Amino acid sequence: MATNWPTSVWNPQDPLADDQGMAPFSIMDPGTAVLQGRGLTNDVYQEHKGDISDSSIRAWDVMENPFYQAMAEYEGYDWDKLVSQFNEEIGSIEDQPHSIRGSANHSLPHTLEDIADQFWNRDDAGSIHNFDNYADAEAWAEENDYDVSDITMTSDIQHEAATSGAASQAELIGMTAAGMGGGMAGSFLAQLRGEDGDARYWGITDEKWVERFDDWTEAGESLIKKYKRQDAPLIRKGPSAADYGIVREDNNIFTHYGLDRPPAAPTELATNYKWNLSKTWKSDVSYVVPPDLTRVNLSGDEAPRSATITPT
């Protein structure tokens, strides 16, 4: 939003004023104050507020997002330590298991036979080829004349199957159980389906990190609502000359009154005024003096009258 506020004003008493007396000036509306209380600038907020509700944001995006960083730091986390911990416990997106769907059949599995063919038979056309990381998937794709754009995180394929209804719960448990213990498979399935509520998918299943991302998202959503309640566009825009009936092409009331620049040096008046001041004279007017008080000698050129004498 364009603003009518000046960037500096003449205020020589300000400790930050320059040698011409100009000091930095900024206005903080209530909404911006709310953001700064959470460690966010208005620019960062406006650029990244949409990320909070963007369901395509994954764990790795969060760890590079300044909005989420502010939410974490407000809760007392050391962001640099968090990033290091995330890299150690989760790793980069390239380190995650990746898969490539076979060229003959790119559809999701519908039967146990499809599951067996697509997940465990890596040699048949239509299978899903699984790899420990992206580099292995990329090398296999190049060797077998597959497009690297076909490489997908394995967890994304499993999440897609779980949320699309393409496979039954029993089949999905079969998908995941081969790679993990039965209890872990059930937990993984619950997270994919969001059985603990309308859980958001972050591309990972580590419960500790998922809980953190959910908490920061909730805090971000709360901040966005609070900002909308406190936002004051009129204050942020500032007064204009037109608001006060002043016609200016730039509509700048501060320039109109010279508040955005140092005052000009004194100049000699164009008209030489010859002052004709009347000569002073003494007044005979007196005033009543209460008993026992001394009359004040106003003129100073004669003795004061008696304190007991009052005019009739």
Side-chain angles (χ1 to χ4, degrees):
M1 173 187 290
T3 176
N4 295 320
W5 294 106
T7 56
S8 61
V9 295
W10 189 71
N11 184 11
Q13 288 78 29
D14 193 312
L16 299 177
D18 60 20
D19 54 0
Q20 291 186 312
M22 299 298 294
F25 178 85
S26 61
I27 187 71
M28 184 183 295
D29 65 279
T32 301
V34 167
L35 298 183
Q36 292 197 0
R38 293 294 193 274
L40 278 170
T41 64
N42 194 61
D43 289 342
V44 169
Y45 174 79
Q46 297 298 339
E47 181 178 354
H48 294 282
K49 64 180 180 180
D51 299 340
I52 298 298
S53 58
D54 186 354
S55 61
S56 68
I57 294 294
R58 296 292 176 257
W60 300 271
D61 302 313
V62 171
M63 301 309 296
E64 296 178 353
N65 192 302
F67 197 136
Y68 276 101
Q69 177 180 349
M71 297 300 96
E73 290 179 339
Y74 183 75
E75 292 184 2
Y77 289 98
D78 182 302
W79 187 251
D80 291 336
K81 290 182 179 179
L82 268 178
V83 171
S84 297
Q85 185 183 6
F86 179 84
N87 291 336
E88 180 180 347
E89 297 178 1
I90 304 298
S92 68
I93 195 168
E94 291 78 13
D95 292 335
Q96 309 307 308
H98 282 71
S99 300
I100 303 176
R101 287 192 176 101
S103 58
N105 182 4
H106 288 264
S107 62
L108 291 172
H110 290 270
T111 67
L112 288 174
E113 183 178 355
D114 291 337
I115 294 170
D117 286 343
Q118 294 193 28
F119 278 86
W120 315 127
N121 187 347
R122 300 188 178 189
D123 297 324
D124 293 342
S127 63
I128 292 183
H129 307 274
N130 301 303
F131 306 91
D132 292 335
N133 52 61
Y134 180 86
D136 290 349
E138 183 180 37
W140 187 91
E142 292 175 350
E143 291 176 2
N144 293 273
D145 198 25
Y146 274 72
D147 194 322
V148 294
S149 63
D150 293 333
I151 302 174
T152 308
M153 274 207 312
T154 304
S155 59
D156 286 351
I157 296 178
Q158 294 166 329
H159 176 72
E160 181 184 355
T163 56
S164 67
S168 68
Q169 178 167 325
E171 292 170 339
L172 286 170
I173 291 177
M175 286 186 201
T176 59
M180 58 187 71
M184 291 181 64
S187 175
F188 179 70
L189 177 63
Q191 292 183 49
L192 289 178
R193 286 200 182 279
E195 292 178 359
D196 296 330
D198 189 15
R200 184 164 166 179
Y201 172 63
W202 297 102
I204 62 174
T205 58
D206 186 293
E207 293 183 4
K208 177 180 66 179
W209 285 100
V210 167
E211 184 177 354
R212 286 174 176 173
F213 297 151
D214 288 343
D215 288 345
W216 299 340
T217 299
E218 183 177 354
E221 291 171 343
S222 177
L223 177 61
I224 290 171
K225 292 178 182 178
K226 188 172 183 180
Y227 174 84
K228 289 180 178 179
R229 290 196 299 267
Q230 297 294 326
D231 188 26
L234 288 176
I235 295 177
R236 196 164 63 252
K237 182 178 180 182
S240 65
D243 294 336
Y244 298 89
I246 301 169
V247 180
R248 288 183 60 91
E249 184 176 352
D250 61 5
N251 206 28
N252 193 319
I253 193 172
F254 298 95
T255 300
H256 179 78
Y257 287 111
L259 300 176
D260 60 350
R261 60 188 182 275
T267 58
E268 185 177 349
L269 292 175
T271 303
N272 183 15
Y273 293 95
K274 295 181 179 180
W275 303 106
N276 183 20
L277 299 177
S278 298
K279 191 175 182 178
T280 59
W281 69 91
K282 294 181 181 180
S283 175
D284 294 331
V285 177
S286 183
Y287 58 91
V288 176
V289 180
D292 302 325
L293 294 181
T294 303
R295 182 182 294 278
V296 177
N297 182 7
L298 298 178
S299 61
D301 58 356
E302 63 181 23
R305 299 181 184 182
S306 171
T308 60
I309 299 175
T310 58
T312 58

